[in-house]
Amino acid sequence: MCVFFTLCACSKPSSEADIHKTSQTPPTPLLSLSELLSADDVRDSLMQASKLKDTEALKIWQSRLLSAADEVNLLPSERRLIEGPQGLIFLEFQGMKFNYQLDFDKAFFNFDDVNSVFKQYPAFESLHEQGRVLISKRDALIAKSAEELKKKGFKGDALSEAKLQWQ
């Protein structure tokens, strides 16, 4: 009997279908979860559902994402992130994260007060310090540009001009 198992295990598969049956390598993922979530329609829908606390919309997108996950051979570890009740929380958090980034970027590039954004998104407190560092670097660059403009003889509000050039 041991000879039978040895012969069967060592023999070549008899067809292409047999090759796939004996192969244990999982299919290569075509996309990552990050790529799925960054699709415009997904991102925009998660942002809206998160902002409105729309659980039904989140459930619809969870179902769509799980279907897409199957189509693109998403890694099982990534698929688990979007499954079940915890997956809904994950998707809502992703929507909030997209909203936070959008609101921070608007305030940052328009020279608005980002503290209102920070107050609106307390869940992202760990990112607030990084945001302050970015603002500090932005302001230092603008101040340096304004100084350069003054040295070159710029007539007018050098700081406003430096902000315009930065934007």
Side-chain angles (χ1 to χ4, degrees):
M1 188 151 170
C2 288
V3 173
F4 176 75
F5 285 122
T6 305
L7 288 173
C8 289
C10 294
S11 66
K12 293 182 181 177
S14 59
S15 72
E16 186 69 27
D18 290 337
I19 291 172
H20 293 295
K21 287 180 189 174
T22 60
S23 173
Q24 296 299 320
T25 57
T28 303
L30 301 174
L31 294 173
S32 68
L33 180 56
S34 176
E35 290 169 314
L36 283 176
L37 293 175
S38 65
D40 289 345
D41 58 338
V42 175
R43 185 191 65 239
D44 294 346
S45 296
L46 292 179
M47 288 171 69
Q48 185 71 10
S50 172
K51 188 176 284 189
L52 299 175
K53 304 285 188 212
D54 187 344
T55 306
E56 290 306 311
L58 287 169
K59 286 178 182 177
I60 290 168
W61 278 99
Q62 180 183 43
S63 176
R64 289 178 181 176
L65 286 166
L66 288 169
S67 293
D70 294 338
E71 293 293 321
V72 300
N73 303 318
L74 193 66
L75 290 173
S77 60
E78 290 188 323
R79 191 179 199 288
R80 281 191 295 275
L81 290 172
I82 59 174
E83 291 177 325
Q86 192 63 36
L88 288 174
I89 293 169
F90 176 82
L91 293 174
E92 182 178 17
F93 183 80
Q94 294 304 308
M96 280 193 319
K97 187 171 78 172
F98 292 137
N99 285 325
Y100 169 78
Q101 186 65 53
L102 180 68
D103 291 348
F104 177 83
D105 287 352
K106 281 181 185 176
F108 181 77
F109 289 109
N110 292 326
F111 299 98
D112 294 334
D113 181 18
V114 296
N115 287 317
S116 62
V117 176
F118 294 161
K119 286 177 188 170
Q120 189 178 353
Y121 298 96
F124 297 101
E125 187 175 351
S126 62
L127 298 176
H128 296 175
E129 185 56 35
Q130 292 174 353
R132 288 183 184 95
V133 168
L134 280 174
I135 290 167
S136 177
K137 289 180 178 182
R138 175 201 67 192
D139 292 347
L141 277 170
I142 290 170
K144 186 176 180 179
S145 294
E147 283 297 316
E148 291 296 319
L149 286 170
K150 287 177 185 177
K151 285 180 184 175
K152 291 180 181 179
F154 181 79
K155 305 287 187 218
D157 186 353
L159 187 59
S160 293
E161 180 62 25
K163 283 181 177 182
L164 284 173
Q165 289 180 11
W166 182 85
Q167 286 178 317

